[in-house]
């Protein structure tokens, strides 16, 4: 199957000020996004996530390197690429005064969706993003979560096989973020390829088939969550849960060369108490992140200023 995105030695250097060294916002990165997968770009503030996305969607010119998007060459075919992808930037690009419905119809007009299909398609998108009730409400009057959902709906107006989402759930409350994640998971079921950037480890873990961890413009790891965890795990751990005669419960981790050895070691330490459970312990994605980046996991929770505030509902 064709790759949805193939990136080779992509680099963006900004010359910020005359007396400052140039900033390598994106520093010689390589990766491939498979058709049909949800691919996560996970990294802290300033890592280069948005810059990468802006290069791949034709909003910023790479300083060096190249990419192919949907089999088309970024350097020469950007106009054709733009017609075939959906893009949801951090800040919505919809019109405040237009209703939810009209915003969708307008997006379809821009993408050349035939007039006869626009109405039906707009109603379908509203229903799917649970916005039918808000059909005639101006965009400005929607809640933050609804705005985000409508912006994604508009990016899907022309049924793109590939969609880019820049931090789709940042600034949303827990419920809205959860709803949006369900919608993103739904896209995957339909076979849409999703490239998404996020700060949230948990979001990446739940939604993404594969994750690239990006720090200071470089990809420090790229794999499935399972493989990242296996790579980060140096020893096998099991967790032994015991209950004594008074039903006091104790839980302790026990190491071993293999799961079997750890379990055997655990069973040798029961002191006659009842064994309630022996579970294999796996590192969390947070453990993986800390190990690979040397950063604390809470760097990911730092909210950015001037982005509309709100709670970081992870
Ligand atoms: N137009 C620009 N001119 C100069 N520097 C820029 C420009 N755009 C981005 N940068 C710098 O490039 C680096 C990467 O920024 P980018 O927006 O790609 O990060 P990000 O991973 O999206 O961060 P965030 O999580 O905060 O959105 C940052 O140091 C940023 O200040
Ligand atoms: Mg960004």
């Amino acid at each position: 199957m064709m790759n949805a995105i193939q990136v080779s030695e992509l680099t963006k250097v900004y010359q910020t000020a005359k007396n400052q060294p140039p900033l390598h916002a994106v520093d010689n990165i390589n990766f491939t996004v498979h058709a049909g997968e949800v691919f996560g770009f996970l990294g802290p503030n300033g890592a280069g996530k948005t810059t990468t996305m802006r290069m791949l969607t034709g909003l910023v010119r790479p300083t060096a390197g190249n990419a192919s998007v949907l089999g088309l060459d970024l350097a020469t075919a950007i106009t054709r690429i733009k017609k075939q992808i959906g893009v949801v930037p951090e800040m919505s690009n919809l019109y405040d005064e237009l209703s939810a419905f009209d915003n969708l119809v307008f997006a379809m007009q821009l993408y050349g969706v035939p007039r006869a299909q626009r109405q039906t398609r707009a109603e379908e998108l509203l229903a799917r993003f649970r916005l039918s009730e808000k059909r005639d409400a101006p965009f400005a009057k929607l809640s933050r979560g609804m705005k985000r959902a409508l912006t994604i709906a508009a990016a899907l107006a022309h049924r793109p096989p590939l969609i880019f989402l820049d931090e789709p759930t940042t600034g949303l409350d827990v419920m809205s973020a959860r709803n949006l994640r369900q919608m993103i998971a739904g896209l995957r079921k339909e076979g849409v390829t999703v490239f998404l950037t996020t700060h949230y480890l948990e979001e990446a873990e739940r939604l993404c088939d594969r994750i690239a961890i990006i720090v200071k413009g470089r990809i420090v790891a790229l794999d499935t969550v399972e493989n990242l965890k296996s790579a980060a795990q140096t020893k096998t751990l099991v967790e032994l849960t015991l209950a004594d005669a008074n039903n006091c419960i104790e839980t302790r981790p026990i190491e071993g060369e293999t799961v079997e050895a750890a379990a055997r070691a655990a069973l040798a330490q029961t002191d006659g108490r009842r064994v309630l459970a022996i579970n294999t312990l796996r590192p969390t994605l947070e453990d993986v992140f800390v190990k690979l980046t040397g950063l604390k996991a809470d760097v990911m929770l730092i909210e950015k200023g001037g982005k509309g505030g709100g709670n970081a509902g992870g």
Side-chain angles (χ1 to χ4, degrees):
M1 204 195 278
M2 186 187 75
N3 286 320
I5 305 175
Q6 190 146 5
V7 169
S8 112
E9 300 178 3
L10 200 63
T11 299
K12 182 69 192 179
V13 180
Y14 286 114
Q15 188 64 56
T16 42
K18 278 228 170 67
N19 52 356
Q20 290 289 312
L23 172 76
H24 287 68
V26 173
D27 196 359
N28 197 10
I29 61 172
N30 296 281
F31 63 90
T32 299
V33 177
H34 305 149
E37 76 177 334
V38 177
F39 186 88
F41 228 49
L42 177 73
N45 285 160
K49 302 182 296 294
T50 299
T51 304
T52 302
M53 193 173 128
R54 290 171 68 85
M55 287 194 279
L56 294 177
T57 57
L59 295 172
V60 160
R61 273 175 83 95
T63 309
N66 199 8
S68 84
V69 178
L70 297 172
L72 298 166
D73 181 45
L74 184 65
T76 57
I78 189 56
T79 317
R80 283 177 66 201
I81 292 172
K82 279 184 173 173
K83 283 190 190 140
Q84 293 188 43
I85 58 174
V87 182
V88 179
E90 275 180 285
M91 300 284 208
S92 177
N93 49 1
L94 300 191
Y95 294 90
D96 271 347
E97 331 74 66
L98 291 188
S99 69
F101 181 81
D102 288 342
N103 263 302
L104 293 179
V105 170
F106 186 66
M108 283 184 235
Q109 220 171 309
L110 288 181
Y111 280 113
V113 175
R115 183 183 294 271
Q117 294 174 18
R118 289 177 203 159
Q119 290 242 353
T120 326
R121 174 93 180 125
E123 304 287 6
E124 266 170 27
L125 283 167
L126 287 173
R128 169 153 157 211
F129 285 87
R130 299 181 204 154
L131 291 165
S132 297
E133 265 178 47
K134 298 288 175 181
R135 183 187 188 280
D136 300 313
F139 181 71
K141 296 273 169 71
L142 301 181
S143 73
R144 194 176 284 156
M146 290 172 182
K147 282 181 175 166
R148 207 65 66 86
L150 189 68
T151 309
I152 298 176
L156 293 169
H158 53 309
R159 300 181 195 274
L162 167 64
I163 184 166
F164 291 84
L165 304 172
D166 200 0
E167 298 196 28
T169 63
T170 295
L172 298 187
D173 62 86
V174 175
M175 276 305 289
S176 309
R178 186 177 302 161
N179 285 336
L180 214 54
R181 273 187 220 118
Q182 278 173 12
M183 291 168 194
I184 295 168
L187 291 176
R188 182 182 179 282
K189 283 202 194 109
E190 281 175 36
V192 176
T193 308
V194 180
F195 177 98
L196 80 92
T197 75
T198 184
H199 275 219
Y200 302 128
L201 292 154
E202 212 188 321
E203 172 165 300
E205 175 155 14
R206 281 205 203 145
L207 271 181
C208 299
D209 295 292
R210 292 189 305 140
I211 297 172
I213 298 179
I214 178 166
V215 180
K216 292 188 181 162
R218 294 181 179 215
I219 292 177
V220 298
L222 193 171
D223 216 324
T224 61
V225 173
E226 274 311 302
N227 288 345
L228 289 173
K229 286 181 177 179
S230 301
Q233 188 162 35
T234 46
K235 56 191 178 232
T236 304
L237 277 178
V238 298
E239 185 182 66
L240 173 67
T241 308
L242 298 165
D244 67 14
N246 303 320
N247 261 337
C248 280
I249 293 177
E250 188 204 350
T251 300
R252 50 164 109 142
I254 290 161
E255 267 180 57
E257 285 295 317
T258 62
V259 176
E260 291 74 26
R264 238 180 294 121
L267 288 173
Q269 298 182 31
T270 57
D271 303 326
R273 284 169 295 179
R274 206 147 44 89
V275 176
L276 294 182
I278 300 181
N279 294 312
T280 324
L281 285 185
R282 301 276 286 146
T284 62
L285 188 59
E286 190 171 309
D287 297 332
V288 174
F289 178 84
V290 170
K291 187 158 183 176
L292 288 171
T293 63
L295 298 167
K296 286 187 184 160
D298 56 11
V299 298
M300 302 297 270
L301 296 177
I302 299 165
E303 272 295 309
K304 356 183 172 184
K307 284 195 46 166
N311 301 317

